[in-house]
Amino acid sequence: MLDHPQNDIFIHMDAKNKLYNPSDTLKLVKFSNIYHTRRIKVAWGGYSQIEAEMILLEASTENGSYEHYHLLSGADLPIKKQEDIIAFFEEHHGLEFVSFQSDIFPADHEVRVRFYHPLQEYVGRDRKFFTRVRNFSIRKLNGACIKFQKLFQKITRRERNRGINFQKGSNWFSITDELARYVLTQKDWIRKVFCYTFCCDEVFLHTIVRASDFRNRLFRNNARFIDWKRGGPYVFTIDDLEEIKQSEAMFARKFDETKDAAIIREIQKLYS
């Protein structure tokens, strides 16, 4: 659905996926250029999520200058025709599509940045019994690390991060060439501040934007239709088709062909 002469597609595939064959993907497109980036193992909630995004930004900015850089996952779909999406972002040239949760970093999320989470890269998704048991043990150990840091305040990040106005929001973005390149200039700072944090792919970009002049170029949302009221996020089904059609967003998530493939087929018919 992204295949269009004006789209270049950059793919970071998790290195844990041993079945992925890049040549199979190349056969699926007629118009777009596809580029596969260096692959790393990505852990949910780990710094590797930020690293994967940086790899994508590095590869795409080295290739050229684009109107916007859209971060999409395998659970996303465009919900407008490509011509309409391209026209929308051309109309909003120079604007940044980064969604913030609020103007103040939620106090209950301080644990993400205040403490070190050294074991987060070893946590997997709870899809198999062995993984669930392993993750339970790792989370217990990580919890013990947090308690230890609370006892010995000097080893937390509090002093190192003093003066940083952390922000939080959706990690899915559409940003300009200028912001993409600015983020890359902050690469060392990002690693220093966010390595061994928890789920800070939802924090690092927002913190950078709010502390820069790019905050004056923010659009009112990130052009994505995501339902957090019915799930975390909710997985759309065929019953949601009319709601999706009425949305003004350019992209939507979350979709899962193992739960409902019909909604994916219908959207493909409508917007391909």
Side-chain angles (χ1 to χ4, degrees), residues 180-199:
R181 295 177 188 277
Y182 178 73
V183 169
L184 291 173
T185 68
Q186 305 299 304
K187 185 176 179 179
D188 291 342
W189 179 84
I190 291 169
R191 173 171 286 279
K192 178 181 178 182
V193 173
F194 295 103
C195 197
Y196 300 116
T197 53
F198 174 67
C199 282

Side-chain angles (χ1 to χ4, degrees), residues 21-139:
N21 187 347
S23 62
D24 291 340
T25 303
L26 296 176
K27 297 174 184 177
L28 297 174
V29 297
K30 296 179 180 179
F31 307 108
S32 290
N33 295 314
I34 288 194
Y35 304 90
H36 285 90
T37 70
R38 173 172 63 89
R39 295 171 63 179
I40 62 170
K41 293 181 179 180
V42 181
W44 179 84
Y47 180 77
S48 54
Q49 287 195 272
I50 296 176
E51 188 177 2
E53 293 181 29
M54 298 297 282
I55 288 171
L56 284 163
L57 288 176
E58 285 177 335
S60 50
T61 53
E62 287 174 2
N63 193 65
S65 296
Y66 296 96
E67 175 74 29
H68 279 89
Y69 299 74
H70 309 281
L71 182 65
L72 303 169
S73 82
D76 296 2
L77 286 174
I79 54 172
K80 297 287 186 291
K81 289 185 178 295
Q82 284 302 307
E83 292 79 8
D84 294 332
I85 293 175
I86 291 167
F88 174 83
F89 284 102
E90 286 179 346
E91 180 184 349
H92 296 90
H93 173 79
L95 295 183
E96 312 297 345
F97 294 77
V98 181
S99 178
F100 287 73
Q101 181 175 330
S102 67
D103 292 332
I104 301 174
F105 192 63
D108 57 339
H109 288 281
E110 284 285 341
V111 67
R112 297 191 184 202
V113 296
R114 181 177 171 186
F115 301 104
Y116 292 93
H117 300 258
L119 303 175
Q120 190 60 38
E121 293 297 334
Y122 301 98
V123 177
R125 303 309 294 267
D126 296 340
R127 292 191 176 120
K128 297 180 180 178
F129 175 76
F130 174 77
T131 308
R132 290 198 296 271
V133 172
R134 186 196 65 182
N135 288 350
F136 177 79
S137 301
I138 293 173
R139 289 184 182 116

Side-chain angles (χ1 to χ4, degrees), residues 150-164:
K150 287 180 178 179
L151 287 173
F152 299 93
Q153 293 288 325
K154 289 184 178 181
I155 64 172
T156 68
R157 299 171 182 264
R158 174 178 285 179
E159 289 302 319
R160 174 182 287 186
N161 292 344
R162 188 176 296 278
I164 300 176

Side-chain angles (χ1 to χ4, degrees), residues 166-269:
F166 289 105
Q167 298 288 307
K168 177 183 176 296
S170 172
N171 60 320
W172 310 107
F173 59 73
S174 295
I175 61 176
T176 63
D177 184 71
E178 188 178 354
L179 178 52
R181 295 177 188 277
Y182 178 73
V183 169
L184 291 173
T185 68
Q186 305 299 304
K187 185 176 179 179
D188 291 342
W189 179 84
I190 291 169
R191 173 171 286 279
K192 178 181 178 182
V193 173
F194 295 103
C195 197
Y196 300 116
T197 53
F198 174 67
C199 282
C200 279
D201 55 315
E202 299 176 339
V203 177
F204 85 100
L205 178 64
H206 303 74
T207 301
I208 289 172
V209 169
R210 190 70 82 185
S212 69
D213 290 340
F214 289 101
R215 66 182 178 275
N216 300 319
R217 293 164 44 169
L218 288 167
F219 193 68
R220 63 179 179 273
N221 59 51
N222 66 347
R224 286 154 176 79
F225 179 34
I226 306 173
D227 186 344
W228 289 99
K229 294 180 180 179
R230 291 181 287 175
Y234 172 71
V235 177
F236 293 112
T237 69
I238 194 64
D239 295 334
D240 305 303
L241 182 60
E242 287 304 314
E243 185 179 6
I244 291 172
K245 288 165 64 176
Q246 295 301 315
S247 172
E248 295 182 356
M250 299 294 109
F251 309 102
R253 74 185 316 267
K254 189 174 185 180
F255 299 93
D256 184 345
E257 67 272 19
T258 64
K259 180 174 181 179
D260 192 329
I263 182 65
I264 298 172
R265 289 194 297 269
E266 287 303 311
I267 289 177
Q268 193 169 12
K269 288 178 187 177

